[in-house]
Amino acid sequence: QVHLVESGGGLVQAGGSLRLSCAVSGRTDSSYVMGWIRQAPGKEREIVATIRWSGAWTYYADSVKGRFSISRDIDANTVYLLINSLKPEDTAVYYCTADRARITTTPNYWGQGTQVTVSS
């Protein structure tokens, strides 16, 4: 069982930055992949970034490449999502997720979500 708790969302002006954090507890190992998924009203769920718990590789959606950066701190059991150059279209609930091998839009483990709202 993996437990995920997000923090760091909020209201920010376009062009600003945020860092989302995800506290991870439970049994994770190098086979796990951690990811951030966002869900905006009326839009499809989107996998924005993933990272293997071992840190071996990362993935970014085309819509966020160059602006988002995912990282993890094994000692702190925390996954981060640094979001730069925020745009109004980044407004969504951001969920920290985890699964073995790969992240899909229906991963096994989800956090409660953190709201990110970007004003223009």
Side-chain angles (χ1 to χ4, degrees):
Q1 190 74 12
V2 178
H3 188 55
L4 307 169
V5 178
E6 304 95 333
S7 60
L11 173 63
V12 64
Q13 287 189 331
S17 298
L18 278 176
R19 189 178 77 161
L20 308 183
S21 299
C22 173
V24 182
S25 59
R27 299 189 65 178
T28 55
D29 55 43
S30 60
S31 71
Y32 272 86
V33 178
M34 314 300 295
W36 289 91
I37 290 176
R38 66 184 180 186
Q39 179 82 66
K43 294 185 179 180
E44 292 187 356
R45 192 175 295 169
E46 182 182 21
I47 302 169
V48 295
T50 67
I51 186 169
R52 188 167 289 278
W53 188 244
S54 66
W57 53 258
T58 57
Y59 159 85
Y60 296 96
D62 288 342
S63 58
V64 307
K65 279 181 181 176
R67 300 188 299 119
F68 286 27
S69 178
I70 188 170
S71 61
R72 93 278 178 264
D73 184 333
I74 291 179
D75 291 335
N77 282 335
T78 303
V79 179
Y80 302 99
L81 184 69
L82 177 62
I83 310 174
N84 294 316
S85 302
L86 276 157
K87 303 176 181 180
E89 51 264 43
D90 294 321
T91 295
V93 178
Y94 285 72
Y95 297 93
C96 180
T97 65
D99 212 334
R100 289 191 181 275
R102 60 190 291 260
I103 293 293
T104 69
T105 53
T106 55
N108 275 324
Y109 302 105
W110 294 77
Q112 82 286 356
T114 186
Q115 177 71 46
V116 172
T117 303
V118 184
S119 62
S120 57

